[in-house]
């Protein structure tokens, strides 16, 4: 079984829709969780850390369910500028980082 | 926030030559750095984990003799693509995480390698 499973998409949704991304992980040792955004031909940049209690930043909400081993990212009122690839990351201590394969998102005006 | 600098950002080389890519953590120490490759419209693929002062750990299918990794200090890791061929043309990205930290990883700007 893969350490991380993430739907590669692509997701094509109309502007204003709510988008949901999920990643599942297999290793219970995963301690820290993050979502990154990657624009075309650029390096990934941190979008949000995922806290156990969940966190929200504007239109973006991140959640983790450790019992079911998945994390989620929600984008409300999606905008064309949200079009990018979104990657989840799981950290197991400082030595091991595991990324999902990324989900491509296109928001259509 | 922490910064990771990767150099060069773009390189074109002839088939058969070698190319060295540097990854530096500018304001933190990184015991471990990670090297990725990304082909167009595909996801990041972990190539190897670079460990300061010891041998790198390569992912399955990545030739260690072709992709030489050296992590000689806590702030610098290098990836050398030896005897490059056109199929090695790709986007190579490094990332680093502060030693002993549980914070996010920081990425270099990436190197776009074109082998002609």
């Amino acid at each position: 079984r893969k350490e991380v499973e993430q739907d590669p998409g692509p997701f094509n949704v109309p502007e204003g829709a709510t988008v949901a991304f999920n990643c599942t992980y297999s290793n219970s040792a995963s301690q820290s969780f993050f979502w990154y955004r990657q624009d075309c031909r650029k390096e990934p940049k941190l979008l949000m850390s995922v806290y156990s209690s969940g966190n929200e930043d504007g239109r973006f909400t991140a959640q983790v369910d450790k019992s079911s081993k998945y994390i989620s990212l929600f984008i409300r009122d999606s905008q064309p500028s949200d079009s990018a690839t979104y990657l989840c990351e799981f950290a197991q201590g400082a030595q091991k980082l595991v990324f999902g394969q990324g989900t491509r998102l296109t928001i259509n005006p | 926030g922490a910064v990771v600098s990767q150099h060069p950002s773009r390189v074109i080389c002839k088939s058969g030559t070698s190319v060295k890519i540097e990854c530096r953590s500018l304001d933190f120490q990184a015991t471990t750095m990670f090297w990725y490759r990304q082909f167009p419209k595909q996801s990041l693929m972990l190539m190897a984990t670079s460990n300061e002062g010891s041998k790198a750990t390569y992912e399955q299918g990545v030739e260690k003799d072709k992709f030489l990794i050296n992590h000689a200090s806590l702030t610098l890791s290098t990836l050398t693509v030896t005897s490059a061929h056109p199929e090695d043309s790709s986007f190579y990205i490094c990332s680093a995480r502060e030693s002993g930290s549980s914070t996010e990883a920081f990425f270099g700007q990436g190197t776009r390698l074109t082998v002609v």
Side-chain angles (χ1 to χ4, degrees), chain A residues 32 34 36 38 41-44 46 87 89 91 93-97 99 101 104, chain B residues 32 34 36 38 43-44 51 91 93 97 100-105 107-109 112:
Chain A
S32 307
F34 306 94
Y36 289 78
Q38 185 180 23
R41 294 176 169 260
K42 300 277 187 169
E43 76 277 18
L46 179 69
L87 302 99
E89 182 216 335
Q95 297 285 326
K96 188 171 175 69
L97 303 177
F99 283 89
Q101 64 179 100
R104 289 176 56 202
Chain B
T32 306
F34 305 89
Y36 301 86
Q38 187 174 38
S43 60
L44 287 172
N51 304 298
F91 191 49
I93 311 177
R97 199 174 184 212
S101 168
S102 61
T103 59
E104 71 275 20
F107 285 86
Q109 301 92 327
R112 190 159 301 283

Side-chain angles (χ1 to χ4, degrees), chain A residues 63-95:
Chain A
Q63 297 175 346
V64 58
D65 184 329
K66 292 185 179 180
S67 61
S68 301
K69 297 182 188 174
Y70 75 86
I71 63 171
S72 301
L73 175 69
F74 300 93
I75 306 176
R76 292 185 301 278
D77 187 24
S78 56
Q79 305 294 311
S81 58
D82 296 329
S83 299
T85 297
Y86 291 82
L87 302 99
C88 56
E89 182 216 335
F90 302 86
Q92 299 160 9
Q95 297 285 326

